[in-house]
Amino acid sequence: QVQLVESGGGLVQPGGSLRLSCAASGSIFKSLRMAWYRQVPGKERDLVATITQGGSTYYADAMKGRFTISRDNAKNTVYLQMNSLQPEDTAVYCCNARPAVQRYWGQGTQVTVST
C-alpha cells in the first residue's frame, strides 16, 4: 500500500516560485514512475510532469522551462520546483504514480498565483 502526502503549496505572486513535495510511504515507491498532476475546480485533472524510476523526466508543454520534477528515492519523496508562476498555474497539485492509481490519490496542495 502506498500513501502520498503533498505539501509546499501556498499563495505566491506572479513570477514567483514554489517547491512542492510528495512524501510516499511504502516500499514500492522506488519501483514506481511518478507524476505531478493539477486540477482546477470544474475541469479535468491535467498531467504536469513525470519522472521514471531512473530519473528521466517529461513535462507538459506549458511547464517546459519553468517546472522541474525530481525524486529522492532514499527519502521516498518526489519534488516539483515551480518557477515563473503565472495566475493560470493556480490549481490543486497532486502526485501519483503514472499511470495514476485511484487509491493512491491524496489531498493535494493548493497553489494560488495572484497579486
Side-chain angles (χ1 to χ4, degrees):
Q1 182 68 7
V2 174
Q3 289 187 317
L4 302 171
V5 179
E6 301 93 344
S7 62
L11 174 63
V12 63
Q13 292 187 345
S17 298
L18 284 173
R19 188 193 194 205
L20 307 183
S21 298
C22 169
S25 64
S27 59
I28 68 169
F29 171 80
K30 299 177 181 59
S31 67
L32 295 175
R33 181 171 55 169
M34 295 296 296
W36 282 96
Y37 305 80
R38 69 185 187 184
Q39 188 169 24
V40 175
K43 295 188 177 181
E44 291 190 357
R45 186 179 289 120
D46 292 328
L47 177 67
V48 173
T50 67
I51 186 165
T52 67
Q53 299 88 329
S56 297
T57 58
Y58 163 84
Y59 299 93
D61 286 343
M63 291 71 177
K64 289 179 180 177
R66 300 190 301 128
F67 290 11
T68 302
I69 188 172
S70 61
R71 67 191 295 164
D72 185 337
N73 287 336
K75 295 182 178 180
N76 276 13
T77 303
V78 179
Y79 304 98
L80 185 69
Q81 176 67 43
M82 305 187 296
N83 299 327
S84 302
L85 285 163
Q86 300 301 318
E88 53 266 33
D89 295 315
T90 295
V92 175
Y93 286 71
C94 298
C95 65
N96 203 315
R98 180 68 177 169
V101 178
Q102 182 63 32
R103 64 183 182 274
Y104 290 175
W105 290 115
Q107 295 297 314
T109 185
Q110 175 70 47
V111 172
T112 302
V113 185
S114 175
T115 57

